[in-house]
Amino acid sequence: MELCGFIEDVIRVRPDDVAMFARLLVALLAGIAIGFERTYRGRPAGVRTHALVCVTSSLLMLVTVYESHWVRASVELIRLDPTRMAQGIMTGIGFLGAGVIMKEGPTVRGLTTSASIWITAAIGILAGIGFYFPLVVSVLITLAVLSLLRWIEVRLPSEAYYNFDVRGERSDEFTEQSLRKVLADCNFQVAHTGYRLDEKGHERRYSMVLRSIDRSSSSRLSQQLERIDSVYGFRITPISE
Protein backbone atom coordinates (compact mmCIF):
# COMPACT_ATOMS: atom_id res chain seq x y z
CA MET A 1 0.00 0.00 0.00
CA GLU A 2 2.83 2.38 0.84
CA LEU A 3 4.46 1.67 -2.52
CA CYS A 4 1.18 2.37 -4.33
CA GLY A 5 0.83 5.63 -2.43
CA PHE A 6 4.38 6.61 -3.36
CA ILE A 7 3.78 5.90 -7.07
CA GLU A 8 0.49 7.78 -6.96
CA ASP A 9 2.14 10.83 -5.39
CA VAL A 10 4.87 10.82 -8.01
CA ILE A 11 2.54 10.38 -10.99
CA ARG A 12 -0.08 12.89 -9.86
CA VAL A 13 1.17 16.29 -11.01
CA ARG A 14 -0.25 19.21 -9.09
CA PRO A 15 0.17 22.95 -9.86
CA ASP A 16 2.72 23.23 -7.06
CA ASP A 17 4.70 20.36 -8.60
CA VAL A 18 5.04 22.35 -11.82
CA ALA A 19 6.31 25.33 -9.84
CA MET A 20 8.81 23.11 -8.00
CA PHE A 21 10.06 21.64 -11.25
CA ALA A 22 10.48 25.11 -12.77
CA ARG A 23 12.45 26.34 -9.77
CA LEU A 24 14.73 23.30 -9.80
CA LEU A 25 15.30 23.72 -13.54
CA VAL A 26 16.15 27.41 -13.16
CA ALA A 27 18.57 26.57 -10.34
CA LEU A 28 20.21 23.92 -12.52
CA LEU A 29 20.66 26.31 -15.44
CA ALA A 30 22.00 29.05 -13.17
CA GLY A 31 24.54 26.67 -11.63
CA ILE A 32 25.64 25.43 -15.06
CA ALA A 33 26.09 28.98 -16.33
CA ILE A 34 28.26 30.03 -13.40
CA GLY A 35 30.14 26.74 -13.42
CA PHE A 36 30.93 27.11 -17.11
CA GLU A 37 32.73 30.39 -16.43
CA ARG A 38 34.71 28.76 -13.61
CA THR A 39 35.56 25.76 -15.81
CA TYR A 40 36.81 28.06 -18.56
CA ARG A 41 39.05 29.81 -16.02
CA GLY A 42 40.51 26.45 -15.03
CA ARG A 43 39.21 26.50 -11.46
CA PRO A 44 38.73 23.24 -9.48
CA ALA A 45 35.02 23.90 -8.79
CA GLY A 46 33.48 23.68 -12.26
CA VAL A 47 30.16 23.01 -13.96
CA ARG A 48 29.08 19.94 -12.00
CA THR A 49 30.02 21.32 -8.58
CA HIS A 50 28.18 24.62 -9.12
CA ALA A 51 25.14 22.86 -10.61
CA LEU A 52 24.81 20.48 -7.64
CA VAL A 53 25.26 23.23 -5.04
CA CYS A 54 22.69 25.47 -6.73
CA VAL A 55 20.11 22.68 -7.04
CA THR A 56 20.69 21.64 -3.42
CA SER A 57 20.03 25.17 -2.20
CA SER A 58 16.84 25.23 -4.25
CA LEU A 59 15.71 21.92 -2.77
CA LEU A 60 16.19 23.14 0.78
CA MET A 61 14.23 26.30 0.04
CA LEU A 62 11.38 24.17 -1.34
CA VAL A 63 11.21 22.45 2.04
CA THR A 64 10.62 25.84 3.64
CA VAL A 65 8.38 27.47 1.01
CA TYR A 66 6.03 24.47 0.77
CA GLU A 67 6.05 23.65 4.47
CA SER A 68 2.26 23.43 4.52
CA HIS A 69 2.43 20.38 2.23
CA TRP A 70 4.21 18.21 4.76
CA VAL A 71 3.37 19.72 8.17
CA ARG A 72 -0.04 18.25 8.85
CA ALA A 73 -0.67 19.83 12.24
CA SER A 74 -2.82 22.92 12.39
CA VAL A 75 -0.94 26.15 12.97
CA GLU A 76 -3.50 27.08 15.63
CA LEU A 77 -2.84 23.89 17.59
CA ILE A 78 0.94 23.75 17.46
CA ARG A 79 3.78 26.11 16.73
CA LEU A 80 7.03 24.63 15.52
CA ASP A 81 9.88 25.24 13.14
CA PRO A 82 10.53 21.86 11.45
CA THR A 83 13.06 23.42 9.10
CA ARG A 84 15.52 23.63 12.00
CA MET A 85 15.99 19.87 11.72
CA ALA A 86 16.92 20.24 8.06
CA GLN A 87 19.37 23.00 8.99
CA GLY A 88 21.01 20.75 11.56
CA ILE A 89 21.28 17.91 9.07
CA MET A 90 22.92 20.09 6.43
CA THR A 91 25.35 21.52 8.97
CA GLY A 92 26.48 18.02 9.92
CA ILE A 93 26.74 16.96 6.29
CA GLY A 94 28.94 20.01 5.68
CA PHE A 95 31.64 18.50 7.89
CA LEU A 96 31.36 15.17 6.08
CA GLY A 97 31.62 16.87 2.69
CA ALA A 98 34.66 18.85 3.78
CA GLY A 99 36.35 15.59 4.72
CA VAL A 100 36.43 14.32 1.13
CA ILE A 101 38.11 17.47 -0.24
CA MET A 102 41.82 16.86 -0.55
CA LYS A 103 44.70 19.00 -1.71
CA GLU A 104 47.41 17.05 -3.48
CA GLY A 105 50.21 19.52 -4.12
CA PRO A 106 48.71 22.31 -6.23
CA THR A 107 45.68 20.19 -7.18
CA VAL A 108 42.36 20.23 -5.32
CA ARG A 109 40.20 17.10 -5.55
CA GLY A 110 36.87 15.99 -4.15
CA LEU A 111 34.81 19.15 -4.64
CA THR A 112 32.22 17.43 -6.85
CA THR A 113 32.04 14.45 -4.47
CA SER A 114 31.45 16.85 -1.59
CA ALA A 115 28.65 18.57 -3.54
CA SER A 116 27.08 15.19 -4.37
CA ILE A 117 27.07 14.27 -0.66
CA TRP A 118 25.36 17.57 0.10
CA ILE A 119 22.60 17.09 -2.47
CA THR A 120 22.14 13.46 -1.37
CA ALA A 121 21.44 14.72 2.15
CA ALA A 122 18.89 17.17 0.75
CA ILE A 123 17.23 14.34 -1.19
CA GLY A 124 17.07 12.33 2.03
CA ILE A 125 15.25 15.24 3.69
CA LEU A 126 12.73 15.26 0.83
CA ALA A 127 12.13 11.54 1.34
CA GLY A 128 11.65 12.07 5.06
CA ILE A 129 8.95 14.74 4.60
CA GLY A 130 7.26 12.95 1.67
CA PHE A 131 8.13 15.37 -1.13
CA TYR A 132 8.25 12.57 -3.70
CA PHE A 133 7.90 14.58 -6.90
CA PRO A 134 10.85 16.96 -6.28
CA LEU A 135 12.74 13.96 -4.91
CA VAL A 136 12.47 12.08 -8.21
CA VAL A 137 13.28 15.22 -10.21
CA SER A 138 16.34 15.98 -8.08
CA VAL A 139 17.64 12.41 -8.36
CA LEU A 140 17.36 12.57 -12.15
CA ILE A 141 19.06 15.98 -12.19
CA THR A 142 21.87 14.71 -9.96
CA LEU A 143 22.52 11.67 -12.14
CA ALA A 144 22.48 13.83 -15.26
CA VAL A 145 24.89 16.33 -13.71
CA LEU A 146 27.33 13.65 -12.55
CA SER A 147 27.31 11.68 -15.81
CA LEU A 148 26.19 13.81 -18.75
CA LEU A 149 27.78 17.06 -17.59
CA ARG A 150 31.05 15.24 -16.93
CA TRP A 151 31.15 14.28 -20.61
CA ILE A 152 30.41 17.89 -21.57
CA GLU A 153 32.81 19.41 -19.03
CA VAL A 154 35.89 17.60 -20.32
CA ARG A 155 35.13 18.92 -23.83
CA LEU A 156 34.61 22.54 -22.84
CA PRO A 157 37.37 25.00 -23.72
CA SER A 158 39.15 25.97 -20.54
CA GLU A 159 42.25 27.74 -19.37
CA ALA A 160 44.83 25.48 -17.74
CA TYR A 161 47.34 26.86 -15.24
CA TYR A 162 50.78 25.41 -14.53
CA ASN A 163 53.60 26.00 -12.08
CA PHE A 164 56.78 26.06 -14.14
CA ASP A 165 60.27 25.86 -12.66
CA VAL A 166 63.35 25.71 -14.84
CA ARG A 167 67.08 26.05 -14.20
CA GLY A 168 69.95 26.26 -16.61
CA GLU A 169 73.35 27.63 -17.49
CA ARG A 170 73.95 31.35 -17.20
CA SER A 171 74.55 31.98 -20.89
CA ASP A 172 73.15 33.84 -23.87
CA GLU A 173 71.28 30.70 -24.89
CA PHE A 174 69.33 30.53 -21.63
CA THR A 175 67.85 33.97 -20.92
CA GLU A 176 64.38 35.18 -19.97
CA GLN A 177 63.81 36.45 -23.51
CA SER A 178 64.75 33.12 -25.09
CA LEU A 179 62.65 31.24 -22.54
CA ARG A 180 59.61 33.44 -23.17
CA LYS A 181 59.97 32.80 -26.91
CA VAL A 182 59.90 29.05 -26.31
CA LEU A 183 56.82 29.46 -24.11
CA ALA A 184 55.05 31.58 -26.74
CA ASP A 185 55.81 28.96 -29.41
CA CYS A 186 54.06 26.41 -27.19
CA ASN A 187 50.96 28.66 -26.77
CA PHE A 188 51.73 29.62 -23.18
CA GLN A 189 51.12 32.99 -21.54
CA VAL A 190 53.20 33.98 -18.51
CA ALA A 191 51.09 35.12 -15.54
CA HIS A 192 53.84 35.57 -12.93
CA THR A 193 57.62 35.26 -12.93
CA GLY A 194 60.22 34.73 -10.19
CA TYR A 195 63.98 34.89 -10.57
CA ARG A 196 66.92 33.30 -8.81
CA LEU A 197 70.66 33.14 -9.36
CA ASP A 198 72.79 30.58 -7.52
CA GLU A 199 75.51 31.59 -5.08
CA LYS A 200 78.33 31.20 -7.58
CA GLY A 201 76.47 32.99 -10.35
CA HIS A 202 76.66 30.06 -12.77
CA GLU A 203 73.02 28.95 -12.81
CA ARG A 204 69.80 30.81 -13.54
CA ARG A 205 66.44 29.72 -12.18
CA TYR A 206 62.99 30.92 -13.24
CA SER A 207 59.71 30.20 -11.47
CA MET A 208 56.60 31.04 -13.49
CA VAL A 209 52.86 30.58 -13.48
CA LEU A 210 51.78 29.69 -17.02
CA ARG A 211 48.35 29.84 -18.64
CA SER A 212 47.14 28.11 -21.80
CA ILE A 213 43.91 26.86 -23.38
CA ASP A 214 45.80 24.15 -25.27
CA ARG A 215 46.06 20.99 -23.16
CA SER A 216 48.95 19.67 -25.28
CA SER A 217 51.12 22.74 -24.61
CA SER A 218 52.89 21.19 -21.62
CA SER A 219 53.95 18.17 -23.64
CA ARG A 220 55.35 20.32 -26.44
CA LEU A 221 57.16 22.55 -23.95
CA SER A 222 58.76 19.53 -22.33
CA GLN A 223 60.02 18.26 -25.66
CA GLN A 224 61.47 21.63 -26.61
CA LEU A 225 63.25 22.12 -23.29
CA GLU A 226 64.86 18.70 -23.56
CA ARG A 227 66.55 19.81 -26.79
CA ILE A 228 68.20 22.84 -25.16
CA ASP A 229 71.65 21.87 -23.86
CA SER A 230 71.88 24.82 -21.47
CA VAL A 231 68.76 23.67 -19.57
CA TYR A 232 69.74 21.54 -16.56
CA GLY A 233 66.27 20.64 -15.35
CA PHE A 234 62.64 21.75 -15.27
CA ARG A 235 59.27 20.95 -13.75
CA ILE A 236 55.78 21.59 -15.17
CA THR A 237 52.97 21.04 -12.66
CA PRO A 238 49.27 21.57 -13.47
CA ILE A 239 47.45 23.74 -10.96
CA SER A 240 43.84 23.06 -12.01
CA GLU A 241 41.98 19.86 -11.21
mmCIF file of all heavy atoms in Angstrom, residues 21-58:
data_model
loop_
_atom_site.group_PDB
_atom_site.id
_atom_site.type_symbol
_atom_site.label_atom_id
_atom_site.label_comp_id
_atom_site.label_asym_id
_atom_site.label_seq_id
_atom_site.Cartn_x
_atom_site.Cartn_y
_atom_site.Cartn_z
ATOM 1 N N PHE A 21 9.229 22.069 -10.129
ATOM 2 C CA PHE A 21 10.064 21.638 -11.254
ATOM 3 C C PHE A 21 10.722 22.839 -11.929
ATOM 4 O O PHE A 21 11.914 22.802 -12.268
ATOM 5 C CB PHE A 21 9.217 20.852 -12.261
ATOM 6 C CG PHE A 21 9.980 20.428 -13.480
ATOM 7 C CD1 PHE A 21 10.823 19.334 -13.439
ATOM 8 C CD2 PHE A 21 9.865 21.139 -14.671
ATOM 9 C CE1 PHE A 21 11.542 18.944 -14.562
ATOM 10 C CE2 PHE A 21 10.576 20.758 -15.796
ATOM 11 C CZ PHE A 21 11.417 19.650 -15.739
ATOM 12 N N ALA A 22 9.947 23.908 -12.116
ATOM 13 C CA ALA A 22 10.484 25.106 -12.770
ATOM 14 C C ALA A 22 11.607 25.715 -11.939
ATOM 15 O O ALA A 22 12.640 26.137 -12.476
ATOM 16 C CB ALA A 22 9.369 26.124 -12.991
ATOM 17 N N ARG A 23 11.431 25.750 -10.631
ATOM 18 C CA ARG A 23 12.454 26.337 -9.772
ATOM 19 C C ARG A 23 13.724 25.496 -9.770
ATOM 20 O O ARG A 23 14.846 26.035 -9.778
ATOM 21 C CB ARG A 23 11.913 26.496 -8.350
ATOM 22 C CG ARG A 23 10.751 27.486 -8.273
ATOM 23 C CD ARG A 23 10.218 27.648 -6.865
ATOM 24 N NE ARG A 23 9.038 28.514 -6.862
ATOM 25 C CZ ARG A 23 8.452 28.969 -5.771
ATOM 26 N NH1 ARG A 23 8.925 28.624 -4.569
ATOM 27 N NH2 ARG A 23 7.388 29.751 -5.844
ATOM 28 N N LEU A 24 13.561 24.173 -9.747
ATOM 29 C CA LEU A 24 14.735 23.302 -9.798
ATOM 30 C C LEU A 24 15.465 23.442 -11.132
ATOM 31 O O LEU A 24 16.698 23.446 -11.188
ATOM 32 C CB LEU A 24 14.315 21.847 -9.578
ATOM 33 C CG LEU A 24 13.844 21.484 -8.172
ATOM 34 C CD1 LEU A 24 13.304 20.063 -8.144
ATOM 35 C CD2 LEU A 24 14.989 21.628 -7.167
ATOM 36 N N LEU A 25 14.696 23.576 -12.209
ATOM 37 C CA LEU A 25 15.302 23.721 -13.536
ATOM 38 C C LEU A 25 16.065 25.042 -13.646
ATOM 39 O O LEU A 25 17.182 25.085 -14.175
ATOM 40 C CB LEU A 25 14.219 23.637 -14.610
ATOM 41 C CG LEU A 25 14.705 23.717 -16.069
ATOM 42 C CD1 LEU A 25 15.656 22.557 -16.364
ATOM 43 C CD2 LEU A 25 13.523 23.687 -17.034
ATOM 44 N N VAL A 26 15.467 26.109 -13.140
ATOM 45 C CA VAL A 26 16.146 27.412 -13.165
ATOM 46 C C VAL A 26 17.430 27.354 -12.338
ATOM 47 O O VAL A 26 18.480 27.884 -12.747
ATOM 48 C CB VAL A 26 15.212 28.515 -12.637
ATOM 49 C CG1 VAL A 26 15.978 29.816 -12.423
ATOM 50 C CG2 VAL A 26 14.064 28.745 -13.616
ATOM 51 N N ALA A 27 17.375 26.706 -11.172
ATOM 52 C CA ALA A 27 18.572 26.565 -10.336
ATOM 53 C C ALA A 27 19.651 25.781 -11.063
ATOM 54 O O ALA A 27 20.838 26.129 -11.005
ATOM 55 C CB ALA A 27 18.213 25.884 -9.022
ATOM 56 N N LEU A 28 19.247 24.719 -11.757
ATOM 57 C CA LEU A 28 20.210 23.921 -12.517
ATOM 58 C C LEU A 28 20.890 24.751 -13.593
ATOM 59 O O LEU A 28 22.120 24.732 -13.736
ATOM 60 C CB LEU A 28 19.500 22.722 -13.143
ATOM 61 C CG LEU A 28 20.338 21.853 -14.097
ATOM 62 C CD1 LEU A 28 21.492 21.198 -13.344
ATOM 63 C CD2 LEU A 28 19.467 20.800 -14.773
ATOM 64 N N LEU A 29 20.097 25.496 -14.363
ATOM 65 C CA LEU A 29 20.658 26.313 -15.444
ATOM 66 C C LEU A 29 21.569 27.412 -14.900
ATOM 67 O O LEU A 29 22.614 27.708 -15.485
ATOM 68 C CB LEU A 29 19.514 26.921 -16.269
ATOM 69 C CG LEU A 29 18.641 25.919 -17.032
ATOM 70 C CD1 LEU A 29 17.504 26.648 -17.750
ATOM 71 C CD2 LEU A 29 19.466 25.117 -18.025
ATOM 72 N N ALA A 30 21.172 28.004 -13.768
ATOM 73 C CA ALA A 30 22.005 29.051 -13.172
ATOM 74 C C ALA A 30 23.337 28.480 -12.711
ATOM 75 O O ALA A 30 24.399 29.078 -12.929
ATOM 76 C CB ALA A 30 21.266 29.702 -12.002
ATOM 77 N N GLY A 31 23.304 27.302 -12.079
ATOM 78 C CA GLY A 31 24.541 26.671 -11.626
ATOM 79 C C GLY A 31 25.449 26.292 -12.779
ATOM 80 O O GLY A 31 26.673 26.452 -12.704
ATOM 81 N N ILE A 32 24.849 25.800 -13.876
ATOM 82 C CA ILE A 32 25.640 25.429 -15.058
ATOM 83 C C ILE A 32 26.301 26.665 -15.660
ATOM 84 O O ILE A 32 27.471 26.635 -16.055
ATOM 85 C CB ILE A 32 24.752 24.725 -16.097
ATOM 86 C CG1 ILE A 32 24.339 23.339 -15.583
ATOM 87 C CG2 ILE A 32 25.466 24.605 -17.439
ATOM 88 C CD1 ILE A 32 23.369 22.617 -16.497
ATOM 89 N N ALA A 33 25.550 27.761 -15.737
ATOM 90 C CA ALA A 33 26.094 28.982 -16.334
ATOM 91 C C ALA A 33 27.294 29.507 -15.544
ATOM 92 O O ALA A 33 28.335 29.848 -16.115
ATOM 93 C CB ALA A 33 24.996 30.047 -16.412
ATOM 94 N N ILE A 34 27.152 29.551 -14.228
ATOM 95 C CA ILE A 34 28.259 30.031 -13.395
ATOM 96 C C ILE A 34 29.420 29.041 -13.434
ATOM 97 O O ILE A 34 30.594 29.430 -13.517
ATOM 98 C CB ILE A 34 27.782 30.255 -11.953
ATOM 99 C CG1 ILE A 34 26.692 31.336 -11.928
ATOM 100 C CG2 ILE A 34 28.943 30.644 -11.043
ATOM 101 C CD1 ILE A 34 26.022 31.486 -10.578
ATOM 102 N N GLY A 35 29.099 27.760 -13.383
ATOM 103 C CA GLY A 35 30.144 26.735 -13.416
ATOM 104 C C GLY A 35 30.907 26.721 -14.724
ATOM 105 O O GLY A 35 32.111 26.420 -14.750
ATOM 106 N N PHE A 36 30.240 27.055 -15.826
ATOM 107 C CA PHE A 36 30.927 27.111 -17.112
ATOM 108 C C PHE A 36 32.031 28.172 -17.085
ATOM 109 O O PHE A 36 33.145 27.940 -17.570
ATOM 110 C CB PHE A 36 29.934 27.423 -18.231
ATOM 111 C CG PHE A 36 30.595 27.657 -19.573
ATOM 112 C CD1 PHE A 36 31.011 26.597 -20.339
ATOM 113 C CD2 PHE A 36 30.798 28.942 -20.043
ATOM 114 C CE1 PHE A 36 31.631 26.805 -21.565
ATOM 115 C CE2 PHE A 36 31.411 29.170 -21.266
ATOM 116 C CZ PHE A 36 31.828 28.095 -22.028
ATOM 117 N N GLU A 37 31.721 29.331 -16.505
ATOM 118 C CA GLU A 37 32.730 30.393 -16.429
ATOM 119 C C GLU A 37 33.912 29.944 -15.578
ATOM 120 O O GLU A 37 35.074 30.196 -15.918
ATOM 121 C CB GLU A 37 32.090 31.653 -15.850
ATOM 122 C CG GLU A 37 32.942 32.913 -15.987
ATOM 123 C CD GLU A 37 33.997 33.057 -14.915
ATOM 124 O OE1 GLU A 37 33.830 32.429 -13.850
ATOM 125 O OE2 GLU A 37 34.987 33.772 -15.142
ATOM 126 N N ARG A 38 33.639 29.242 -14.470
ATOM 127 C CA ARG A 38 34.711 28.762 -13.609
ATOM 128 C C ARG A 38 35.537 27.670 -14.297
ATOM 129 O O ARG A 38 36.749 27.590 -14.118
ATOM 130 C CB ARG A 38 34.138 28.224 -12.293
ATOM 131 C CG ARG A 38 33.516 29.280 -11.407
ATOM 132 C CD ARG A 38 34.561 30.216 -10.804
ATOM 133 N NE ARG A 38 34.965 31.279 -11.716
ATOM 134 C CZ ARG A 38 36.023 32.043 -11.537
ATOM 135 N NH1 ARG A 38 36.798 31.853 -10.499
ATOM 136 N NH2 ARG A 38 36.319 32.992 -12.400
ATOM 137 N N THR A 39 34.849 26.813 -15.071
ATOM 138 C CA THR A 39 35.563 25.765 -15.813
ATOM 139 C C THR A 39 36.479 26.376 -16.851
ATOM 140 O O THR A 39 37.626 25.950 -17.034
ATOM 141 C CB THR A 39 34.559 24.816 -16.491
ATOM 142 O OG1 THR A 39 33.804 24.132 -15.486
ATOM 143 C CG2 THR A 39 35.279 23.777 -17.346
ATOM 144 N N TYR A 40 35.987 27.399 -17.541
ATOM 145 C CA TYR A 40 36.809 28.060 -18.558
ATOM 146 C C TYR A 40 38.045 28.689 -17.932
ATOM 147 O O TYR A 40 39.126 28.701 -18.535
ATOM 148 C CB TYR A 40 35.989 29.134 -19.274
ATOM 149 C CG TYR A 40 36.796 29.905 -20.295
ATOM 150 C CD1 TYR A 40 37.118 29.323 -21.528
ATOM 151 C CD2 TYR A 40 37.264 31.184 -20.019
ATOM 152 C CE1 TYR A 40 37.877 30.020 -22.453
ATOM 153 C CE2 TYR A 40 38.021 31.884 -20.943
ATOM 154 C CZ TYR A 40 38.322 31.299 -22.158
ATOM 155 O OH TYR A 40 39.085 31.973 -23.062
ATOM 156 N N ARG A 41 37.915 29.200 -16.704
ATOM 157 C CA ARG A 41 39.049 29.812 -16.023
ATOM 158 C C ARG A 41 39.975 28.780 -15.400
ATOM 159 O O ARG A 41 40.971 29.127 -14.772
ATOM 160 C CB ARG A 41 38.554 30.773 -14.936
ATOM 161 C CG ARG A 41 37.757 31.955 -15.462
ATOM 162 C CD ARG A 41 38.578 32.794 -16.413
ATOM 163 N NE ARG A 41 37.810 33.914 -16.944
ATOM 164 C CZ ARG A 41 38.258 34.745 -17.876
ATOM 165 N NH1 ARG A 41 39.466 34.563 -18.387
ATOM 166 N NH2 ARG A 41 37.503 35.734 -18.307
ATOM 167 N N GLY A 42 39.640 27.502 -15.549
ATOM 168 C CA GLY A 42 40.506 26.451 -15.034
ATOM 169 C C GLY A 42 40.448 26.255 -13.541
ATOM 170 O O GLY A 42 41.390 25.743 -12.936
ATOM 171 N N ARG A 43 39.337 26.628 -12.908
ATOM 172 C CA ARG A 43 39.210 26.498 -11.463
ATOM 173 C C ARG A 43 38.729 25.095 -11.089
ATOM 174 O O ARG A 43 38.000 24.455 -11.849
ATOM 175 C CB ARG A 43 38.234 27.546 -10.914
ATOM 176 C CG ARG A 43 38.672 28.979 -11.182
ATOM 177 C CD ARG A 43 40.034 29.260 -10.554
ATOM 178 N NE ARG A 43 40.409 30.658 -10.656
ATOM 179 C CZ ARG A 43 41.387 31.131 -11.413
ATOM 180 N NH1 ARG A 43 42.079 30.304 -12.153
ATOM 181 N NH2 ARG A 43 41.675 32.412 -11.429
ATOM 182 N N PRO A 44 39.115 24.604 -9.881
ATOM 183 C CA PRO A 44 38.728 23.242 -9.485
ATOM 184 C C PRO A 44 37.217 23.036 -9.405
ATOM 185 O O PRO A 44 36.708 21.990 -9.785
ATOM 186 C CB PRO A 44 39.376 23.087 -8.100
ATOM 187 C CG PRO A 44 40.504 24.053 -8.102
ATOM 188 C CD PRO A 44 40.043 25.224 -8.933
ATOM 189 N N ALA A 45 36.476 24.018 -8.874
ATOM 190 C CA ALA A 45 35.019 23.901 -8.794
ATOM 191 C C ALA A 45 34.421 24.350 -10.122
ATOM 192 O O ALA A 45 34.391 25.535 -10.425
ATOM 193 C CB ALA A 45 34.480 24.753 -7.646
ATOM 194 N N GLY A 46 33.949 23.377 -10.914
ATOM 195 C CA GLY A 46 33.483 23.684 -12.262
ATOM 196 C C GLY A 46 31.984 23.540 -12.426
ATOM 197 O O GLY A 46 31.199 23.831 -11.515
ATOM 198 N N VAL A 47 31.582 23.063 -13.600
ATOM 199 C CA VAL A 47 30.163 23.005 -13.964
ATOM 200 C C VAL A 47 29.379 22.113 -13.017
ATOM 201 O O VAL A 47 28.351 22.510 -12.464
ATOM 202 C CB VAL A 47 30.009 22.505 -15.416
ATOM 203 C CG1 VAL A 47 28.533 22.286 -15.740
ATOM 204 C CG2 VAL A 47 30.604 23.515 -16.392
ATOM 205 N N ARG A 48 29.847 20.892 -12.801
ATOM 206 C CA ARG A 48 29.078 19.945 -12.000
ATOM 207 C C ARG A 48 28.963 20.390 -10.541
ATOM 208 O O ARG A 48 27.898 20.270 -9.926
ATOM 209 C CB ARG A 48 29.717 18.562 -12.082
ATOM 210 C CG ARG A 48 29.629 17.937 -13.472
ATOM 211 C CD ARG A 48 30.203 16.554 -13.490
ATOM 212 N NE ARG A 48 31.619 16.566 -13.117
ATOM 213 C CZ ARG A 48 32.260 15.509 -12.632
ATOM 214 N NH1 ARG A 48 31.624 14.384 -12.421
ATOM 215 N NH2 ARG A 48 33.552 15.588 -12.346
ATOM 216 N N THR A 49 30.052 20.885 -9.978
ATOM 217 C CA THR A 49 30.016 21.321 -8.578
ATOM 218 C C THR A 49 29.028 22.464 -8.380
ATOM 219 O O THR A 49 28.197 22.443 -7.468
ATOM 220 C CB THR A 49 31.415 21.760 -8.123
ATOM 221 O OG1 THR A 49 32.334 20.676 -8.313
ATOM 222 C CG2 THR A 49 31.403 22.168 -6.664
ATOM 223 N N HIS A 50 29.084 23.478 -9.244
ATOM 224 C CA HIS A 50 28.178 24.617 -9.119
ATOM 225 C C HIS A 50 26.726 24.211 -9.364
ATOM 226 O O HIS A 50 25.806 24.712 -8.700
ATOM 227 C CB HIS A 50 28.582 25.723 -10.098
ATOM 228 C CG HIS A 50 29.761 26.525 -9.641
ATOM 229 N ND1 HIS A 50 31.058 26.082 -9.778
ATOM 230 C CD2 HIS A 50 29.835 27.732 -9.036
ATOM 231 C CE1 HIS A 50 31.884 26.993 -9.291
ATOM 232 N NE2 HIS A 50 31.170 28.001 -8.823
ATOM 233 N N ALA A 51 26.502 23.310 -10.322
ATOM 234 C CA ALA A 51 25.140 22.859 -10.607
ATOM 235 C C ALA A 51 24.543 22.130 -9.402
ATOM 236 O O ALA A 51 23.392 22.378 -9.014
ATOM 237 C CB ALA A 51 25.132 21.960 -11.836
ATOM 238 N N LEU A 52 25.317 21.241 -8.785
ATOM 239 C CA LEU A 52 24.812 20.485 -7.643
ATOM 240 C C LEU A 52 24.543 21.395 -6.444
ATOM 241 O O LEU A 52 23.526 21.260 -5.765
ATOM 242 C CB LEU A 52 25.829 19.403 -7.251
ATOM 243 C CG LEU A 52 25.961 18.214 -8.212
ATOM 244 C CD1 LEU A 52 27.063 17.286 -7.744
ATOM 245 C CD2 LEU A 52 24.643 17.457 -8.325
ATOM 246 N N VAL A 53 25.438 22.332 -6.182
ATOM 247 C CA VAL A 53 25.257 23.233 -5.043
ATOM 248 C C VAL A 53 24.024 24.106 -5.239
ATOM 249 O O VAL A 53 23.231 24.317 -4.307
ATOM 250 C CB VAL A 53 26.518 24.104 -4.846
ATOM 251 C CG1 VAL A 53 26.251 25.218 -3.841
ATOM 252 C CG2 VAL A 53 27.690 23.245 -4.380
ATOM 253 N N CYS A 54 23.837 24.604 -6.460
ATOM 254 C CA CYS A 54 22.690 25.470 -6.725
ATOM 255 C C CYS A 54 21.376 24.702 -6.605
ATOM 256 O O CYS A 54 20.409 25.197 -6.018
ATOM 257 C CB CYS A 54 22.828 26.083 -8.121
ATOM 258 S SG CYS A 54 21.755 27.506 -8.395
ATOM 259 N N VAL A 55 21.330 23.497 -7.131
ATOM 260 C CA VAL A 55 20.107 22.680 -7.035
ATOM 261 C C VAL A 55 19.828 22.305 -5.582
ATOM 262 O O VAL A 55 18.674 22.296 -5.133
ATOM 263 C CB VAL A 55 20.243 21.424 -7.921
ATOM 264 C CG1 VAL A 55 19.071 20.476 -7.665
ATOM 265 C CG2 VAL A 55 20.269 21.807 -9.391
ATOM 266 N N THR A 56 20.872 21.986 -4.825
ATOM 267 C CA THR A 56 20.688 21.643 -3.418
ATOM 268 C C THR A 56 20.078 22.801 -2.642
ATOM 269 O O THR A 56 19.150 22.616 -1.843
ATOM 270 C CB THR A 56 22.031 21.257 -2.780
ATOM 271 O OG1 THR A 56 22.632 20.196 -3.523
ATOM 272 C CG2 THR A 56 21.838 20.809 -1.341
ATOM 273 N N SER A 57 20.578 23.990 -2.876
ATOM 274 C CA SER A 57 20.029 25.167 -2.196
ATOM 275 C C SER A 57 18.557 25.358 -2.557
ATOM 276 O O SER A 57 17.732 25.704 -1.705
ATOM 277 C CB SER A 57 20.835 26.412 -2.581
ATOM 278 O OG SER A 57 22.188 26.275 -2.206
ATOM 279 N N SER A 58 18.236 25.122 -3.824
ATOM 280 C CA SER A 58 16.842 25.234 -4.252
ATOM 281 C C SER A 58 15.970 24.190 -3.557
ATOM 282 O O SER A 58 14.853 24.484 -3.128
ATOM 283 C CB SER A 58 16.757 25.082 -5.773
ATOM 284 O OG SER A 58 15.421 25.149 -6.217
#
